[in-house]
Amino acid sequence: MRILIINGPNINMLGIREKNIYGSKNYKDLIKYIKEYTKEKDIEIEIYQSNSEGQIINKIQEAYNLYDGIVINPAAYTHTSIAILDALKAVNIPTVEVHLTDVNKREDFRKISYVSYFAKKTIKGKGFDGYIEAIDFLKENYDK
Ligand code: DQA
């Protein structure tokens, strides 16, 4: 199974940004954590990060016919981007939305998620483990 993992703006700043909210582990730690988990399993992954909405949309479009599942943490674009939602709908690849923090327990503007209109599942507030749960969910339900 091939899974594309997409991280949106400022996820590359983990370990530096708002440590009281996001913790002290950095983006490299996240990549290592995911790769170590999938290594032993029959899952091919690509991990992509961009601060740009357009690049994230391009990446989703390029996933068409290449990936069997998408795990996406759209970060702040979660709450603003109909264009990312439309790109996901266009390629129609089973998608799980992940947030490191529990967005429902934060500011009101974080309670809206456009991506969740398409995502099969939303995992929030579980830190790095949320990505693992998302991968397992795709593997269990959408493996080819
Ligand atoms: C986030 C939550 C978003 O509201 C925020 O803009 C982020 C990260 C999370 O992983 O908890 O950048 O998606």
Side-chain angles (χ1 to χ4, degrees):
M1 177 177 210
R2 286 168 301 184
I3 298 178
L4 174 62
I5 298 164
I6 300 176
N7 284 298
N10 302 306
I11 301 297
N12 58 317
M13 296 295 278
L14 287 178
I16 298 167
R17 75 184 291 210
E18 301 175 277
K19 284 190 200 173
N20 55 322
I21 294 175
Y22 295 104
S24 56
K25 288 191 176 144
N26 64 31
Y27 185 58
K28 272 192 179 165
D29 295 329
L30 175 62
I31 293 173
K32 204 171 149 214
Y33 190 67
I34 296 170
K35 285 196 171 158
E36 269 173 19
Y37 183 73
T38 50
K39 190 166 70 184
E40 307 297 323
K41 306 210 154 47
D42 192 20
I43 307 171
E44 255 180 64
I45 54 154
E46 178 184 351
I47 306 177
Y48 177 80
Q49 190 276 329
S50 176
N51 295 320
S52 147
E53 185 176 15
Q55 282 178 6
I56 292 169
I57 291 162
N58 287 341
K59 194 71 190 172
I60 293 168
Q61 290 183 3
E62 284 160 21
Y64 183 65
N65 275 343
L66 272 186
Y67 289 95
D68 312 307
I70 294 176
V71 173
I72 186 165
N73 181 349
Y77 290 138
T78 307
H79 321 298
T80 61
S81 183
I82 298 167
I84 290 177
L85 168 65
D86 284 348
L88 290 168
K89 282 179 163 180
V91 297
N92 199 26
I93 299 169
T95 296
V96 179
E97 173 187 4
V98 171
H99 299 286
L100 294 157
T101 63
D102 187 346
V103 280
N104 285 341
K105 293 189 178 150
R106 298 179 63 190
E107 302 94 325
D108 280 350
F109 60 80
R110 294 186 205 276
K111 289 180 183 150
I112 293 165
S113 165
Y114 288 103
V115 166
S116 70
Y117 284 87
F118 178 76
K120 302 282 184 199
K121 190 181 166 93
T122 298
I123 299 163
K124 44 190 188 292
K126 297 191 173 169
F128 287 7
D129 286 337
Y131 291 82
I132 303 303
E133 198 178 314
I135 291 164
D136 282 345
F137 177 82
L138 288 172
K139 177 87 176 144
E140 275 159 31
N141 294 285
Y142 300 99
D143 199 4
K144 282 189 182 155

